[in-house]
């Protein structure tokens, strides 16, 4: 009897333990997330939409709506855009505006059609210029929608920037320097549309707009008719731009959005799915499920394991994943703060990578347990976001310095021996290298040009080496090199080789699309086509 009682007690204890142990794990995982959230709040971190989101005034919203209407009206005014900052050799770019004829795969000379398209849409361009000139606002978005927030205004921003810079390039080609500068400044004003929008994709679109404007600024800097007033205005426009302005708030909003996603995934029953709008999809009954299992046991076993894994995720693993995600985003936020504080982006980016590497070591089974993120590879999303900010800021500092150098050269008919000669007349201070925080590297050359560069993303000074890190890659950027060297115009031979290849591509395309003549017999009747073998 005693033995039976002991066995019974042991069985009861096992049942109790089997019930309590999952509850304990669930409570522990949930409490760790809540504890970390309270820790962040105590540190003064922003965790709610009300704290993070901007609050544009009624006037700012009206200004944004007017600009959006003008941007939308421009639409697809231009179908083929001329290239800018096209690298023909390491450190050397194709100077598009200088070329009388501009062949590409779509045309033997792009200029006439570009001019025709801009003239046909001149009213729309004027409306956009006017709207951007008085732009003093931003779109009022409902950030509480999280990942479901529609962002239709982003799709048209980049195309509007391309249209404005194409118009600026054509005007530069035609010698209309003042109007070319005005259209470039309108493009820079367009970038302010998203300046304070705390969403990562919005900031990525903004950086794309800035990249387009940077290419056109490089073109203008090569024009022989530039005056100091024009340069000073462009320099002021670029100096007022801060690619990092919304980086921190974007990551804070990303953290809030991810938190909402975890909550929604836990609350929703995965069996209550639907095919978009309409009633939920009817789930198969028990008899149907048994029939499916008998028909394909392996498929049924896999489905059962996936179902069990999902419920384990909802019960415990989701809290582990949410905690890991919050810690990873905090590491990214801390990296942005370090970048701003120290002015050296490479150490901050390396610090983020080290922090996330250590974080995922403590979650060894992340790839198996996590669902919304994919373990260590998910950190690449934020690494790439920070890297794009880093490169854009490095380019901006080089550009501002190059403008100041051009102003000095106009005034003194030569470039300075040292960047310190630019202060305080042309620069308040010598810009630091965004990569390592040291002053930008500069040398005046004997041929009357100069070498201006930032060290590459590895933070190592290679003496101004513009050779790409991956020379076999297509469409490689001038920033993806051992050092980020401010480019010079390509040589005449390099330009001719490029134009010859572009013309060959156009001819090949024309030959491929040209209707084939049907061969005829000597009597004039059509000859029969040979059968395909």
């Amino acid at each position: 009897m005693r033995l039976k009682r002991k066995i019974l007690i042991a069985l009861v204890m096992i049942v109790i333990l089997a019930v309590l142990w999952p509850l304990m794990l669930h409570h522990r995982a949930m409490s760790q997330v809540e504890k970390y959230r309270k820790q962040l709040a105590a540190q003064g971190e922003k965790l709610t939409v009300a704290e993070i989101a901007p609050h544009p005034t009624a006037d700012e919203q009206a200004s944004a709506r007017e600009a959006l209407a003008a941007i939308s009206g421009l639409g697809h005014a231009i179908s083929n855009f001329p290239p800018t900052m096209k690298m023909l050799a390491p450190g050397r770019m194709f100077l598009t505006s200088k070329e009388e004829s501009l062949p590409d795969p779509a045309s033997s000379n792009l200029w006439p059609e570009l001019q025709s398209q801009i003239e046909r849409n001149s009213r729309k361009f004027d409306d956009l210029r006017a709207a951007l000139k008085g732009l003093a606002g931003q779109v009022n978005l409902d950030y509480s929608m999280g990942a479901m927030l529609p962002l239709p205004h982003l799709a048209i921003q980049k195309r509007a920037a391309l249209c404005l810079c194409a118009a600026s390039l054509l005007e530069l080609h035609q010698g209309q320097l003042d109007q070319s500068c005005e259209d470039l400044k309108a493009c820079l004003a367009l970038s302010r549309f998203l300046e304070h929008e705390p969403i990562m994709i919005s900031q990525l679109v903004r950086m794309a707009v800035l990249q387009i404007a940077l290419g056109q600024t490089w073109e203008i800097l090569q024009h022989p008719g530039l005056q100091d007033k024009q340069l000073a205005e462009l320099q002021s426009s670029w100096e007022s731009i801060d690619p990092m302005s919304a980086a921190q708030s974007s990551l804070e909003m990303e953290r809030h959005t991810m938190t909402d996603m975890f909550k929604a995934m836990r609350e929703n029953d995965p069996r209550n799915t639907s095919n978009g709008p309409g009633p939920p999809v009817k789930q198969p009954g028990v008899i149907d499920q048994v029939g499916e299992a008998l028909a394909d046991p392996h498929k049924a076993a896999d489905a059962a394991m996936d179902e069990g894994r999902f419920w384990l995720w909802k019960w415990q693993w989701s809290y582990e994943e949410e905690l890991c995600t919050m810690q990873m985003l905090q590491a990214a936020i801390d990296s942005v703060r370090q970048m701003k504080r120290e002015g050296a982006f490479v150490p901050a980016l390396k610090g983020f990578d080290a922090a996330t590497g250590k974080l995922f070591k403590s979650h060894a089974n992340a790839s198996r347990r996590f669902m919304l993120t994919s373990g260590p590879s998910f950190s690449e999303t934020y690494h790439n976001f920070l890297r794009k900010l880093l490169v854009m800021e490095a380019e901006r500092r080089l550009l501002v310095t190059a403008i100041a150098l051009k102003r000095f050269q106009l005034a003194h008919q030569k470039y300075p021996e040292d960047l310190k000669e630019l202060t305080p007349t042309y620069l308040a201070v010598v810009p630091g290298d965004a990569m390592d925080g040291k002053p930008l590297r500069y040398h005046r050359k004997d041929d009357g040009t100069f070498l201006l560069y930032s060290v590459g993303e590895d933070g190592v000074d290679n003496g101004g080496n513009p050779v790409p890190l991956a020379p076999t890659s297509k469409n490689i950027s001038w920033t993806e090199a051992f050092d980020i060297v401010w480019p010079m115009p390509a040589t005449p031979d390099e330009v001719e080789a490029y134009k010859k290849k572009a013309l060959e591509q156009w001819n090949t395309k024309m030959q491929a699309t040209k209707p084939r003549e049907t061969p005829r017999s000597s009597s004039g009747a059509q000859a029969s086509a040979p059968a395909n073998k």
Side-chain angles (χ1 to χ4, degrees):
M1 189 69 177
R2 289 181 179 177
L3 179 59
K4 289 182 179 180
R5 185 178 298 171
K6 288 180 179 179
I7 292 173
L8 181 60
I9 292 172
L11 289 174
V12 170
M13 293 297 293
I14 290 172
V15 171
I16 293 173
L17 187 61
V19 173
L20 290 180
W21 183 249
L23 288 172
M24 290 171 60
L25 291 176
H26 172 73
H27 177 74
R28 179 174 178 272
M30 189 167 54
S31 63
Q32 284 181 330
V33 171
E34 190 57 32
K35 180 181 178 182
Y36 187 66
R37 199 185 309 280
K38 289 180 179 179
Q39 176 187 328
L40 292 177
Q43 294 171 191
E45 297 291 343
K46 297 177 181 179
L47 303 174
T48 65
V49 169
E51 295 175 296
I52 305 166
H55 303 283
T57 65
D59 289 343
E60 289 173 336
Q61 293 178 46
S63 176
R65 284 194 297 270
E66 181 184 351
L68 270 180
I71 293 170
S72 300
L74 192 62
H76 291 72
I78 297 175
S79 59
N80 195 19
F81 300 97
T84 56
M85 293 196 88
K86 174 76 175 178
M87 188 167 72
L88 302 190
R92 295 194 175 276
M93 302 290 179
F94 179 60
L95 185 54
T96 306
S97 58
K98 182 182 177 181
E99 298 302 318
E100 288 303 318
S101 64
L102 191 61
D104 76 340
S107 172
S108 60
N109 186 7
L110 191 148
W111 294 125
E113 179 59 21
L114 177 62
Q115 180 174 351
S116 176
Q117 290 176 342
I118 292 174
E119 288 175 351
R120 287 198 302 269
N121 294 276
S122 60
R123 180 65 179 272
K124 295 178 180 179
F125 274 95
D126 289 342
D127 290 344
L128 179 58
R129 292 173 185 125
L132 291 175
K133 204 164 191 176
L135 180 64
Q138 55 189 299
V139 182
N140 188 30
L141 300 173
D142 184 3
Y143 293 98
S144 64
M145 295 181 66
M148 302 303 294
L149 175 64
L151 300 168
H153 63 293
L154 297 184
I156 56 177
Q157 299 264 343
K158 182 177 178 181
R159 190 164 192 91
L162 286 167
C163 288
L164 283 169
C165 282
S168 175
L169 190 61
L170 177 64
E171 290 151 357
L172 189 66
H173 171 70
Q174 296 173 336
Q176 303 172 41
L177 187 55
D178 285 337
Q179 185 56 47
S180 178
C181 290
E182 288 302 311
D183 278 340
L184 173 57
K185 285 187 286 185
C187 183
L188 290 172
L190 182 65
S191 75
R192 296 191 182 281
F193 219 118
L194 306 171
E195 187 172 14
H196 302 293
E197 198 164 287
I199 304 176
M200 285 175 57
I201 184 61
S202 299
Q203 295 310 305
L204 290 171
V205 171
R206 181 180 176 230
M207 281 186 273
V209 170
L210 289 173
Q211 288 285 355
I212 293 165
L214 186 140
Q216 179 54 21
T217 309
W218 181 85
E219 286 277 346
I220 288 177
L221 280 176
Q222 315 310 317
H223 197 278
L226 275 171
Q227 301 297 318
D228 184 74
K229 181 178 181 294
Q230 296 161 328
L231 289 166
E233 289 176 354
L234 285 177
Q235 182 178 334
S236 177
S237 295
W238 278 104
E239 285 177 331
S240 66
I241 290 170
D242 178 13
M244 301 289 293
S245 59
Q248 181 176 322
S249 58
S250 296
L251 292 166
E252 290 167 342
M253 189 64 77
E254 178 77 1
R255 176 168 56 194
H256 172 79
T257 300
M258 291 298 294
T259 298
D260 278 358
M261 288 178 67
F262 281 110
K263 182 180 178 181
M265 284 285 285
R266 293 191 195 102
E267 291 177 351
N268 293 333
D269 188 330
R271 294 168 296 184
N272 293 334
T273 58
S274 63
N275 296 323
V281 176
K282 182 180 178 181
Q283 299 298 322
V286 174
I287 295 177
D288 293 331
Q289 294 180 37
V290 171
E292 290 176 2
L294 292 173
D296 192 342
H298 294 292
K299 184 179 179 180
D302 290 342
M305 289 189 68
D306 288 342
E307 183 79 359
R309 178 174 174 270
F310 182 84
W311 288 104
L312 278 171
W313 180 86
K314 288 181 70 170
W315 185 254
Q316 179 188 352
W317 296 343
S318 66
Y319 295 100
E320 178 187 353
E321 184 175 2
E322 182 177 1
L323 178 63
C324 180
T325 302
M326 291 175 68
Q327 291 170 333
M328 178 169 53
L329 281 161
Q330 186 59 40
I333 291 168
D334 289 340
S335 294
V336 170
R337 289 173 176 152
Q338 182 183 345
M339 290 173 182
K340 290 181 176 180
R341 184 175 62 250
E342 299 177 359
F345 286 34
V346 168
L349 192 56
K350 287 182 178 179
F352 170 74
D353 291 340
T356 53
K358 183 178 179 181
L359 181 61
F360 280 109
K361 278 185 180 180
S362 63
H363 298 278
N365 297 319
S367 59
R368 182 174 63 87
R369 294 184 174 190
F370 291 179
M371 292 188 67
L372 293 185
T373 65
S374 54
S377 62
F378 187 66
S379 65
E380 293 179 11
T381 300
Y382 305 114
H383 170 94
N384 291 335
F385 176 67
L386 294 173
R387 178 189 168 273
K388 287 181 181 294
L389 289 169
L390 155 66
V391 173
M392 187 67 247
E393 177 59 10
E395 290 178 287
R396 188 192 70 86
R397 295 185 188 186
L398 286 169
L399 173 57
V400 168
T401 308
I403 295 174
L405 284 167
K406 184 66 176 179
R407 295 177 65 194
F408 185 98
Q409 190 262 346
L410 285 177
H412 300 87
Q413 287 73 54
K414 63 179 181 178
Y415 291 106
E417 284 279 358
D418 191 278
L419 291 182
K420 292 179 182 178
E421 294 180 50
L422 298 175
T423 61
T425 305
Y426 304 104
L427 290 172
V429 295
V430 175
D433 189 335
M435 296 294 176
D436 62 1
K438 298 177 182 178
L440 287 172
R441 281 66 170 181
Y442 169 81
H443 302 290
R444 186 173 71 180
K445 292 184 175 181
D446 294 337
D447 62 0
T449 61
F450 62 85
L451 173 65
L452 174 69
Y453 68 97
S454 161
V455 299
E457 292 180 47
D458 58 359
V460 177
D461 185 349
N462 292 287
N465 184 357
V467 174
L469 293 169
T472 58
S473 299
K474 293 183 178 179
N475 300 320
I476 193 166
S477 168
W478 63 285
T479 61
E480 298 173 7
F482 286 95
D483 292 320
I484 305 177
V485 179
W486 184 252
M488 295 293 166
T491 65
D493 288 345
E494 291 165 343
V495 170
E496 285 306 311
Y498 168 74
K499 290 176 65 177
K500 181 180 179 182
K501 184 177 180 181
L503 196 56
E504 288 173 353
Q505 289 175 333
W506 176 77
N507 283 323
T508 300
K509 185 177 179 180
M510 290 300 100
Q511 290 296 325
T513 57
K514 184 178 179 181
R516 297 177 63 182
E517 294 183 2
T518 304
R520 296 177 177 272
S521 65
S522 58
S523 62
Q526 290 187 359
S528 59
N532 292 328
K533 294 183 179 181

